[in-house]
């Protein structure tokens, strides 16, 4: 089981890197290390709207999603 997890993580990382390379090759600007604090600050205005429209438990699960 451990070796399968390791292989899947390795494959996932390789797929991610290949996807980023392809996007860049096609002219897309790809930010791989975003300023998360600035992003959250920019979304503050939308957060109140999200709280009205979505289940608070779902928003909490999203905010705790591993980075």
């Amino acid at each position: 089981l451990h070796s399968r997890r390791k292989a899947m993580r390795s494959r996932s990382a390789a797929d991610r890197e290949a996807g980023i390379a392809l996007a860049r090759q096609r002219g897309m600007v790809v930010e791989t290390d975003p300023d998360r604090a600035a992003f959250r600050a920019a979304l503050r205005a939308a957060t109140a709207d999200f709280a009205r429209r979505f289940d608070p438990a779902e928003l909490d699960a999203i905010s705790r999603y591993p980075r």
Side-chain angles (χ1 to χ4, degrees), residues 10-65:
S10 178
R11 172 70 187 264
S12 179
D15 287 348
R16 177 181 178 271
E17 292 305 315
I20 290 170
L22 180 61
R24 285 185 171 141
Q25 178 184 355
R26 292 183 175 174
M28 181 182 281
V29 175
V30 179
E31 178 59 58
T32 57
D33 188 24
D35 181 343
R36 293 181 189 278
F39 184 79
R40 278 195 223 56
L43 285 179
R44 279 195 191 110
T47 301
D49 183 48
F50 292 162
R52 284 189 301 274
R53 295 173 54 197
F54 300 102
D55 181 347
E58 291 174 346
L59 294 174
D60 184 53
I62 292 167
S63 71
R64 290 183 290 110
Y65 190 79

